[in-house]
Amino acid sequence: MAAQRSSAPSAAPDLPTLGGRRSSYRERVADALRAALIAGELRPGEVYSAPTLAARFGVSATPVREAMLDLAKEGLVDTVPNKGFRVTEVSEKQLDEYTHIRSLIEIPTVVRLATTADPVSLEALRPAAREIVTAAAGGDLIAYVEADIRFHLGLLALAGNSHLVEVVGDLRKRSRLYGLTALVEAGRLEASAREHLELLDALLERDERAVHAVMTRHLGHVRGLWAAP
């Protein structure tokens, strides 16, 4: 059984955002829906109506409908007239390619942060890292994915390249982590979640080799530990 979601999408934490822009309510709903899609709470080929999703997330149907239209523009869902939205299929080959591109971008970028990032800015990401662990311990997959995206994009933003963050953000939206449910049921997701704290500690210690090792292991889970349905 899939892990249950709390009654409403969580608000964005007080972490730095690109351009200092705060998310609107519609954008927060869209983020929660993306997270549900990535975590496998919304399955490929299934058709979901806005009222059904609104009831599931504890919000009104209008922002859900608007958010799903945003996801349709991104190619994550297809509109089904008079029925709702169908989650698009993503092939194993596509997922492998997305992960390969991410590794080429994220690993060297984060390793460089070990010598360039301001310790205060790194420490500001610790609440998000702890939120990931808390969500994993509680079996809240959607909160887990939401916090994971905020943490990693917030970390990459410290490199000062907004285009890089945008590219990785798009790749993350297209990822699928169907194995998370099995990890929760086996009690193994929390250990994986703690890698975010391990990564922060390595960055603050300016240990480039440790950062490289943690990032390589962590991204390896995307098509390994977190991937199996």
Side-chain angles (χ1 to χ4, degrees):
M1 177 183 295
Q4 294 298 308
R5 168 65 174 168
S6 56
S7 61
S10 58
D14 291 327
L15 293 176
T17 55
L18 295 179
R21 180 179 62 82
R22 290 191 176 277
S23 299
S24 67
Y25 183 65
R26 169 176 170 171
E27 289 169 330
R28 292 200 301 273
V29 172
D31 286 343
L33 290 168
R34 285 190 193 94
L37 189 152
I38 291 168
E41 297 275 333
L42 303 181
R43 303 294 293 190
E46 294 289 328
V47 177
Y48 299 91
S49 70
T52 298
L53 290 172
R56 180 172 179 171
F57 283 85
V59 297
S60 63
T62 297
V64 170
R65 189 175 292 107
E66 293 172 342
M68 291 300 276
L69 289 172
D70 291 339
L71 269 59
K73 292 176 183 176
E74 297 170 11
L76 303 181
V77 299
D78 294 322
T79 302
V80 181
N82 302 317
K83 290 186 178 181
F85 302 88
R86 179 183 290 112
V87 177
T88 56
E89 300 275 355
V90 182
S91 71
E92 293 296 311
K93 182 176 186 295
Q94 286 174 306
L95 292 173
D96 287 339
E97 290 172 348
Y98 297 157
T99 304
H100 179 60
I101 296 169
R102 282 182 54 192
S103 68
L104 292 175
I105 297 174
E106 292 187 65
I107 294 174
T109 300
V110 175
V111 168
R112 282 195 295 273
L113 290 176
T115 56
T116 61
D118 173 32
V120 174
S121 298
L122 288 170
E123 196 61 49
L125 293 167
R126 194 171 295 275
R130 288 175 176 152
E131 186 179 344
I132 296 168
V133 176
T134 299
D140 190 338
L141 297 186
I142 300 176
Y144 178 95
V145 172
E146 286 179 323
D148 181 72
I149 291 173
R150 290 198 307 269
F151 174 86
H152 284 284
L153 296 189
L155 183 60
L156 291 173
L158 299 181
N161 187 331
S162 61
H163 297 291
L164 180 151
V165 177
E166 183 178 351
V167 168
V168 173
D170 181 68
L171 291 170
R172 281 180 166 271
K173 292 174 187 175
R174 298 175 186 281
S175 296
R176 299 291 186 272
L177 305 174
Y178 299 145
L180 294 183
T181 297
L183 289 176
V184 168
E185 293 173 348
R188 298 172 60 198
L189 186 58
E190 187 176 352
S192 171
R194 292 189 179 279
E195 290 178 345
H196 299 85
L197 294 167
E198 183 183 353
L199 177 60
L200 271 184
D201 290 340
L203 285 164
L204 287 164
E205 291 169 5
R206 305 301 193 188
D207 189 337
E208 294 179 77
R209 291 182 64 181
V211 171
H212 188 280
V214 176
M215 279 298 298
T216 301
R217 180 186 351 128
H218 191 68
L219 279 179
H221 296 330
V222 175
R223 298 301 296 137
L225 194 62
W226 300 337

